[in-house]
Amino acid sequence: RISSMLNPHPPNLMFPIMILALWGILMTSSICLRQTDLKALIAYSSVSHMGLVTAAIIVQTPWGLTGAMTLMIAHGLTSSALFALANTNYERTHTRTLLLVRGLQLAFPLMSTWWLLINLTNMAMPPTINLLGELFIISTLFNWSTPTIIITGIGTLITATYSLYMFLMTQRGSISTQFRLLPPTHTREHLTLTLHLLPLGLLIMKPTLISGLFT
């Protein structure tokens, strides 16, 4: 929808949207750091990543469009996996408040592994396609305007911070006494998370499947 408005480039429309997209990366990332609701944190995380996608699409270069497509697919899988994890917590604790669901690593060690892997994916750690998409986008914005590296760099740093914050708040610490008897995790839940992470791991072996349209 954005691409159709920006062909050819109307400067009077391009720059305000670019400013909002770049500023939105910082603002929504910062909001994640003060969230107490787990699902709200994940939702704001998605908004932050889509700020990168919007900025890349507005530049209208092959690298930008490739990065936008790659990051949209990568974050679609990552965000869905995070919501699935949040739902497994909610089904057992019946609360989304981060302060009340601490220490779940003691009760669900395998699920804690999924939390770690998916949070690392959300941070765009190698070898996931999230990293590929973000590198394309950051390079595109840097070529468009050098100072954007400051905003994208700070945004990446804050993303890493709130991802670690989400993992530590849900998995580490002492478990609440009201959650002593928690039902175990199910095979279907682990299968669901596997089907999210497997494509993210395999697509990096042949990223042209999703990014070759514009290169």
Side-chain angles (χ1 to χ4, degrees), residues 132-154:
L132 182 68
E134 289 195 15
L135 285 177
F136 269 117
I137 292 173
I138 291 171
S139 300
T140 298
L141 294 177
F142 180 72
N143 289 330
W144 178 73
S145 177
T146 306
T148 58
I149 196 69
I150 300 172
I151 297 174
T152 53
I154 294 172

Side-chain angles (χ1 to χ4, degrees), residues 116-194:
L116 177 62
L117 290 174
I118 294 171
N119 273 289
L120 289 175
T121 304
N122 195 47
M123 291 164 54
M125 294 289 284
T128 58
I129 55 171
N130 302 61
L131 176 66
L132 182 68
E134 289 195 15
L135 285 177
F136 269 117
I137 292 173
I138 291 171
S139 300
T140 298
L141 294 177
F142 180 72
N143 289 330
W144 178 73
S145 177
T146 306
T148 58
I149 196 69
I150 300 172
I151 297 174
T152 53
I154 294 172
T156 303
L157 179 63
I158 299 175
T159 300
T161 306
Y162 71 68
S163 296
L164 291 174
Y165 164 74
M166 177 164 49
F167 175 75
L168 293 174
M169 286 296 289
T170 56
Q171 304 304 308
R172 306 296 293 175
S174 56
I175 194 167
S176 175
T177 53
Q178 63 180 332
F179 299 139
R180 291 300 182 191
L181 296 174
L182 294 171
T185 55
H186 304 295
T187 304
R188 59 176 171 79
E189 293 168 336
H190 296 292
L191 178 61
T192 300
L193 296 168
T194 302

